[in-house]
Amino acid sequence: MKQLRLLLALLLAFSLVAAACGDDEDSSDSGSDSASTDSDSGSDSGSDSGSDDDTADAGDDTADAGSEMLTGIGVDAENKVIRVGLNADLSGTFAALTTVIVEGQLVFWERYNDQGGYNGWTVEPVVLDNAYDVPTHLENYDAFAGDGDESVVMLTNSTGSPHTAAIAEALVDDDLVAIPLSWYSGWTDPSIGQNVLEVQANYCIEAMNGVTYMSETYGNKMAIASFPGDYGQDGAIGAKIAAEALGLEIVYDGEAAVIPGADQTPVVTGIAESGADFVWLTTGPTQTAEIVGGAAGAGYTGQWAGNSPAWNPALLGTGLAEVFDASYTHSTYTTLWGIGDSPGMQDLIATMREYAPDNIADDVYIISWIEGLIAQQVIENAIDNGDITRAGMVASANEITVDLQGLAPNQNWGVEANDAIVRGTYLYDVDLAAFTPDGTVSDDDANRGFTLLEGDYVSPTAAAWEYEPCFKAS
């Protein structure tokens, strides 16, 4: 166990440790610099007090000079600039993940503006650091929702489930929409996330699909180990829904038993002695390393899989690489870097090679692009509608089906919850031979260690499931 503790210390920089959080995602090692957090850069020309004076009242929309376009707070009508906000963790628990996502979205908008935007309208991203802290997230939100230079028409990244939950009611009051960096199943419930534009499949559905694939491939005895809260238990409940539908035997139930920072020996022992054919994890990468390494040391030889945040490519740079190569299946919500030749993947790779050719190829750039594509299509539809106020963005988001260009299943929000949820996910073999740790976006063979197994994959359980939030906080 001493060697394992040393391993965990080395992994700490890549850890996505959170208790009762719903936005764990693969934290990726990257050679790229952190995204700029200077929300004032470039904003003087797009946010002159004179251009916003006419729209200082959130309830007063004004017509763009010389046109019939309705504009309001967050829009510089004179210079035809629309501001969007990223309330993102750039210095806290998830900074290794979120800085890369933010950087990718900034590249998305830079290219968009270089190509002339849409009908002469360009987009200015305003980035504020929430440090993965709810009070800071709320302070940032006040700036975004206000009428100053940092005011915006929508949030294109809201990092964290508890953080996004803290602004959910205000989003409705302020006629703002937000794209969450979180896959909690509750966002589709209008009583929880009316103005939260949930993205891809939720943790619960992801687990249904993953457990189905694992049972069909490896056997009917399963173990579960998860964090508590809206990430961990959302995934664990999805695993149990699949187990019941498929008649699987849960030989170890560790729902909410994995506490970040705690001794995981009871969980390790429970799994190692369970006789499970496979284990479903809803944890973070550090806990994945501890549990998988501990169970392997205790003689467990079964298979492993888990919700997307349980994995990090950095694990292939550790002493457990061969164990993961032999036994881990990675589940996630999107296609991954360089896998497939969809229009979205081609565009992403070409753009990153042009604007950031030396950056490490990173799967989370797909999230950057999806956030950008959603916002772009919401904004362009609002422009076509002649209403780029905040309320106009809300209306626009509820009118369209967003084309994600093959990066993930397309998405819409203006329908009943059961029709709105995305049911497809992607399953990858963790492949050490394919891993190129220093591969840049310019390298044709850059790969974060994955080979596609299934996707977009919808299990019979997920297809038949009638939506309701899987985890509900008491």
Side-chain angles (χ1 to χ4, degrees):
M1 291 300 289
K2 289 183 179 178
Q3 290 181 336
L4 185 57
R5 292 191 185 100
L6 177 59
L7 169 64
L8 294 176
L10 294 174
L11 286 173
L12 188 58
F14 304 99
S15 165
L16 300 184
V17 179
C21 73
D23 61 304
D24 296 85
E25 173 57 20
D26 300 307
S27 172
S28 301
D29 55 327
S30 172
S32 60
D33 294 332
S34 296
S36 169
T37 60
D38 182 2
S39 59
D40 291 329
S41 65
S43 64
D44 288 342
S45 61
S47 309
D48 290 340
S49 59
S51 65
D52 276 343
D53 281 347
D54 294 335
T55 59
D57 186 341
D60 292 336
D61 299 327
T62 63
D64 186 8
S67 76
E68 296 181 357
M69 184 72 69
L70 290 175
T71 66
I73 294 173
V75 177
D76 174 2
E78 180 179 354
N79 293 299
K80 300 189 74 172
V81 175
I82 298 167
R83 292 190 296 275
V84 299
L86 292 84
N87 203 349
D89 177 13
L90 303 180
S91 62
T93 302
F94 296 98
L97 161 74
T98 314
T99 53
V100 181
I101 293 173
V102 168
E103 182 177 33
Q105 194 183 136
L106 293 179
V107 169
F108 180 94
W109 291 122
E110 183 178 2
R111 191 277 306 269
Y112 183 76
N113 292 337
D114 285 349
Q115 293 182 342
Y118 187 71
N119 290 350
W121 290 91
T122 59
V123 174
E124 177 189 326
V126 180
V127 183
L128 297 179
D129 179 13
N130 77 1
Y132 202 70
D133 174 67
V134 171
T136 303
H137 195 84
L138 290 169
E139 290 176 9
N140 292 349
Y141 177 80
D142 287 342
F144 288 133
D147 59 7
D149 290 350
E150 293 170 337
S151 64
V152 299
V153 297
M154 67 181 298
L155 298 179
T156 59
N157 182 301
S158 178
T159 300
S161 280
H163 311 70
T164 304
I167 64 171
E169 291 185 6
L171 289 170
V172 177
D173 292 340
D174 296 325
D175 271 330
L176 282 166
V177 292
I179 301 171
L181 188 59
S182 159
W183 290 264
Y184 168 49
S185 66
W187 297 137
T188 313
D189 184 340
S191 70
I192 298 174
Q194 178 177 326
N195 281 18
V196 178
L197 306 181
E198 76 278 0
V199 289
Q200 290 93 56
N202 56 54
Y203 300 125
C204 190
I205 284 178
E206 180 193 8
M208 294 179 206
N209 289 341
V211 166
T212 299
Y213 175 83
M214 295 298 288
S215 67
E216 291 176 346
T217 308
Y218 297 110
N220 293 328
K221 294 182 178 180
M222 68 176 292
I224 296 171
S226 87
F227 284 164
D230 50 8
Y231 161 52
Q233 289 177 264
D234 214 45
I237 291 169
K240 290 180 178 181
I241 291 171
E244 181 177 2
L246 298 169
L248 307 184
E249 182 182 359
I250 300 175
V251 293
Y252 172 75
D253 184 355
E255 178 184 344
V258 182
I259 308 301
D263 179 9
Q264 307 303 338
T265 299
V267 176
V268 168
T269 302
I271 291 171
E273 295 178 351
S274 69
D277 296 313
F278 69 94
V279 184
W280 184 263
L281 299 172
T282 313
T283 58
T286 295
Q287 294 72 34
T288 296
E290 185 171 3
I291 293 168
V292 172
Y300 179 70
T301 58
Q303 294 289 312
W304 302 83
N307 285 93
S308 185
W311 179 255
N312 186 303
L315 295 171
L316 287 179
T318 72
L320 291 173
E322 292 185 1
V323 174
F324 287 119
D325 180 46
S327 64
Y328 199 91
T329 298
H330 175 53
S331 169
T332 192
Y333 321 104
T334 69
T335 56
L336 298 181
W337 182 271
I339 298 177
D341 60 353
S342 67
M345 185 64 68
Q346 293 179 39
D347 180 60
L348 165 60
I349 291 175
T351 303
M352 292 304 298
R353 286 177 174 175
E354 179 181 357
Y355 284 82
D358 297 326
N359 282 20
I360 296 295
D362 203 312
D363 295 315
V364 301
Y365 286 135
I366 285 85
I367 300 174
S368 309
W369 236 243
I370 286 171
E371 291 175 341
L373 286 169
I374 292 171
Q376 175 189 341
Q377 291 172 56
V378 169
I379 288 169
E380 290 181 355
N381 184 61
I383 291 171
D384 288 342
N385 290 342
D387 183 355
I388 54 174
T389 64
R390 291 170 173 176
M393 296 298 165
V394 174
S396 175
N398 286 299
E399 289 174 355
I400 64 174
T401 295
V402 171
D403 179 5
L404 296 180
Q405 301 180 3
L407 294 174
N410 293 343
Q411 196 111 29
N412 62 354
W413 301 278
V415 294
E416 292 296 321
N418 204 55
D419 298 321
I421 56 172
V422 171
R423 299 174 191 262
T425 57
Y426 298 75
L427 292 149
Y428 296 86
D429 177 41
V430 170
D431 186 354
L432 184 59
F435 184 45
T436 57
D438 299 318
T440 70
V441 299
S442 300
D443 295 334
D444 290 336
D445 62 349
N447 187 298
R448 302 303 291 159
F450 300 115
T451 300
L452 180 65
L453 297 170
E454 295 281 354
D456 124 46
Y457 171 69
V458 182
S459 66
T461 302
W465 182 58
E466 291 292 321
Y467 170 77
E468 62 176 336
C470 291
F471 172 75
K472 299 176 183 177
S474 57

